[in-house]
Amino acid sequence: MEAFAYVAPSSIDEAVAELAKHAKKGHRAQVLAGGTDLLVQLRGADIEPRILVDIKKVAETNRLHLGKNEIFIGAAIPSAVLNENTELVELLPGLLEAADLIGSTQIQGRATLGGNLCNASPAGDTIPAMIAVGVSCVIIGGKGQREMPVEKFVLGVGRNALKAGEFLVGLKIPRPKSRSADAYMRFIPRTEMDIAVAGCGVSVTLDAKGLCKEARVAIGAVAPTAILVPAAARALIGTTLDDAALAAAAAACSDAASPITDKRGTIDFRRKVVGVLCRRATAIARDRALARKALGV
């Protein structure tokens, strides 16, 4: 194999066959969706020989389906395309807000949810937002298809659960229930196009009386991977999402964080900030859910 090679399969079977061929030979293969992270890697220290397998021509990776019970987002759909879908923005405003934070307008024309997830950065904005709304990863390879919760997909910094010969086809998301909403917030030193110092995604579902009956809370950039925080969800369920409940959820997020100190922030600062973000994101999700309740949706 030459130092670098490129293929663009037009079907899942072709992509799987291409990946399997190179895995069998011991050659490095890397999947290209949007390529916004990959191109940066190629210009940096990671210059080992590889074959690039471009999945943008595979129909399933470009499929967007808003079903009655489930939403499917193909791994190669650019963030800009998702944010132009008004129904999707209405259903998952927090997730789409997170997607809208990935780089500039030009970058969003290429960047994908799937790529942001597979890149496995601790500070990936869409990952805690995806965890909050219960995304399942649809993975396919030579041994067939499998699925896993997004919170189990990222194994560490730059490491994901894909095995040799596998790639991420897309993301399955339960269609939000009536009186449900999500939100995502992050803290960055600059006003835009910066990497999160801390982030938090929240989704809540209210009952007819306005009590929280379901919740998911996830935090990012404060541990080697984005993590689900069940204790924060437990603090919210059964409440009206009042200040006391929000404070308890915030404390749970701060306790669950295991950040590092670097030039962007100290351990104590990150723990405090992620709690603040939890309170604010939960309040936004609550208000959105109440607005949907008022509209009868």
Side-chain angles (χ1 to χ4, degrees), residues 42-63:
L42 294 178
R43 293 172 64 90
D46 187 6
I47 56 174
E48 292 182 1
R50 75 198 74 185
I51 181 167
L52 302 179
V53 181
D54 188 341
I55 61 170
K56 292 195 297 298
K57 293 184 179 180
V58 177
E60 192 70 6
T61 68
N62 289 283
R63 186 169 76 92

Side-chain angles (χ1 to χ4, degrees), residues 201-235:
V202 180
S203 68
V204 298
T205 300
L206 309 181
D207 66 14
K209 296 180 179 180
L211 293 177
C212 178
K213 64 178 184 178
E214 295 179 24
R216 284 174 66 90
V217 180
I219 55 178
V222 289
T225 67
I227 54 177
L228 183 67
V229 188
R234 289 194 296 269

